Amino acid sequence: MPGRGRALAVLSLSLLNVFAVAAGLAVVKLTPDRRLSPQPPSVAARDLVRIAPSSAAIPAADPGSGRPPDPSALAGRLSALIGGPQAKINAVVVDAESRRPLYELRAGQPATPASTTKLATSVAALASAGPAHRITTRVVRGTGDGIILVGGGDPTLTALPPRPGAGHPPYASLPDLARQTAAALKASGTGQVRVDYDASAYQGPRTAAGWKPNYLPDGELAPVSALTVDEGRVAPSDPSRRTRVSDPPSAAAREFARLLAKNGVSARAGRSTVALKEAVQLGAVQSPPLSALVEHLLTDSDNDVAEAVARQVAINLGRPATFADAAQAVRQVLAGLGVAEGVSVNDGSGLSPLNRISPIALARIVSLAAGGDHPKLRPVITGLPIAGFSGTLSPPRYTVAASQGGAGMVRAKTGTLAGVSTLAGLAYDADGRLLAFAFMAGDGKGPVDPGKLDQLAAAVATCGCG
């Protein structure tokens, strides 16, 4: 099946069936020409792609049988859309297999990456900790009548009941942890406790360099802490309310005391402390595997999960779990993979406007994750939103005439800050060749149009430039 036909077949098998069917989902439908067809509105876009069990073998993306596009032909298509060298866009397209640049416009010039920073965070986490890594939350004995709720940095810890059909592995359950703890306390004859809390797994400030003062009150994320329940949301069962608590660890202790009382143990919230290493454990719950956390943080651009995952890189490398050390740890791991050049970050989520990453660095990171040499990195690719279908690329993106040629053909991470819009990911071109790209628009001083980046990615996907 030569040319475009084979490219679409490769896409369905290597970039969709691998991503969705391997996860036990059958939500992606192909029309007779093998292009993705939109699903009815009842299918939640964010549930289209979810991680397979961590033991599942997810093959590398097929580089395709087509030859790479002619650089001059590709440049003609992209330059017409960009509008000349004065446009505030840095751009690159590379052959995903060889990582050879095919189009460059200030490709090596660092720019504000916004949430495409999460690509660097995710690659570093998977490479250092591995896709099967889980984060543990424990309860141990304290002093006197105290017990200690010990946070390990799990961003999924929840007090909500399980939600059937949620499209993700079970989250760590605070009610389950309370049941375990209450049973252990009752078995030892203890009926009344003080719930202290230990969030010492993280150190340093709870906000990163460059973060704007409105991020926390606006609910962009909670203050970053090793112990947080339901991402610190004041009303976790109401998605319309974004407000977060000011002190996530103390709020977690209060909620845990309430749950213990429901299980027959009188409990009151206590104080911050540090548990002894030899303390007797009363209960424990674990996060989903890191592979699932990475998929979620990329598909939905979850800032809380991204910051937690960045901290896991620091912890795995034996560094303090601070913003600065996490950023340095991420770069250290990327350097070991040969893709650190052009990467300078201050956080794991990309909220800091002080972050700088070049387009060529983003394209190399994506190409590395798609290739066959590092299978541990595959959740980075399976987590990328599908253009026009899932996550942050759900409609209305890729539904207008200028970009709909990329619908179902592009997988990419988005990034948005005031005056900045970015897009980095993968697409098969019309000749069946897998290409990686990064488009970075804006200087933070004026309006930007993410639709322009969608048009550029669609032009890559529809280019028969071989």
Side-chain angles (χ1 to χ4, degrees):
M1 185 183 298
R4 182 66 162 179
R6 186 182 189 282
L8 289 165
V10 168
L11 178 67
S12 65
L13 293 174
S14 296
L15 285 180
L16 294 173
N17 291 347
V18 164
F19 303 155
V21 178
L25 299 173
V27 297
V28 175
K29 183 174 68 176
L30 296 175
T31 61
D33 70 348
R34 294 187 180 273
R35 180 177 292 276
L36 275 166
S37 174
Q39 296 300 288
S42 61
V43 178
R46 67 177 52 197
D47 290 334
L48 280 170
V49 180
R50 286 294 181 249
I51 189 66
S54 59
S55 59
I58 302 177
D62 188 332
S65 62
R67 60 184 179 181
D70 176 70
S72 61
L74 180 61
R77 292 175 63 93
L78 297 179
S79 296
L81 292 170
I82 288 173
Q86 300 306 313
K88 294 179 180 178
I89 294 180
N90 297 1
V92 72
V93 179
V94 305
D95 179 62
E97 183 175 28
S98 67
R99 297 189 222 169
R100 181 173 68 88
L102 302 169
Y103 175 80
E104 298 179 271
L105 178 63
R106 296 180 287 272
Q109 181 175 314
T112 304
S115 277
T116 54
T117 300
K118 293 179 174 76
L119 291 167
T121 301
S122 298
V123 163
L126 290 165
S128 59
H133 175 69
R134 295 174 186 263
I135 307 169
T136 302
T137 304
R138 303 180 295 131
V139 177
V140 301
R141 285 280 188 181
T143 58
D145 66 346
I147 61 173
I148 306 171
L149 178 61
V150 183
D154 179 8
T156 72
L157 184 64
T158 180
L160 296 175
R163 183 164 62 92
H168 56 71
Y171 288 157
S173 168
L174 197 67
D176 181 32
L177 185 58
R179 286 190 289 270
Q180 293 179 41
T181 302
L185 290 170
K186 290 175 182 177
S188 67
T190 303
Q192 182 173 335
V193 296
R194 180 189 70 250
V195 180
D196 296 331
Y197 54 92
D198 180 354
S200 63
Y202 290 1
Q203 296 88 49
R206 293 182 178 179
T207 58
W211 280 10
K212 296 184 178 180
N214 66 296
Y215 285 168
L216 299 185
D218 287 354
E220 294 294 340
L221 77 174
V224 177
S225 168
L227 178 59
T228 304
V229 176
D230 289 308
E231 295 188 336
R233 298 179 187 278
V234 170
S237 60
D238 182 357
S240 68
R241 294 184 61 187
R242 295 166 55 88
T243 308
R244 312 299 182 97
V245 299
S246 60
D247 187 7
S250 63
R254 290 194 299 272
E255 178 65 14
F256 192 67
R258 186 187 70 81
L259 291 169
L260 282 177
K262 287 184 65 175
N263 284 274
V265 175
S266 178
R268 68 188 189 280
R271 63 185 187 277
S272 174
T273 189
V274 177
L276 298 174
K277 290 184 179 180
E278 63 271 20
V280 175
Q281 182 169 295
L282 301 173
V285 291
Q286 289 191 312
S287 72
L290 182 60
S291 55
L293 298 182
V294 164
E295 278 217 332
H296 167 71
L297 77 87
L298 291 173
T299 300
D300 294 335
S301 204
D302 191 306
N303 297 317
D304 298 271
V305 177
E307 296 301 344
V309 167
R311 290 296 203 287
Q312 293 302 306
V313 183
I315 292 170
N316 191 264
L317 268 60
R319 289 176 172 268
T322 66
F323 277 105
D325 282 278
Q328 292 170 19
V330 165
R331 198 174 191 287
Q332 180 179 337
V333 174
L334 294 180
L337 295 169
V339 291
E341 183 179 357
V343 177
S344 176
V345 297
N346 296 280
D347 63 15
S349 62
L351 284 174
S352 175
L354 302 179
N355 292 353
R356 293 292 183 270
I357 303 180
S358 65
I360 189 65
L362 288 172
R364 286 169 176 162
I365 287 170
V366 171
S367 297
L368 183 76
D373 294 337
H374 300 279
K376 291 194 300 184
L377 306 182
R378 207 72 67 239
V380 171
I381 305 304
T382 62
L384 291 176
I386 304 172
F389 292 89
S390 65
T392 56
L393 287 183
S394 296
R397 296 189 73 160
Y398 289 89
T399 59
V400 300
S403 62
Q404 65 184 183
M409 304 304 299
V410 170
R411 294 193 71 114
K413 180 70 194 79
T414 58
T416 304
L417 288 175
V420 171
S421 185
T422 59
L423 190 69
L426 293 166
Y428 283 103
D429 72 1
D431 292 323
R433 191 71 179 184
L434 184 63
L435 307 177
F437 61 82
F439 303 118
M440 310 179 76
D443 56 7
K445 299 178 181 178
V448 289
D449 177 17
K452 173 73 71 174
L453 306 188
D454 293 346
Q455 292 177 43
L456 291 169
V460 172
T462 57
C463 185
C465 306

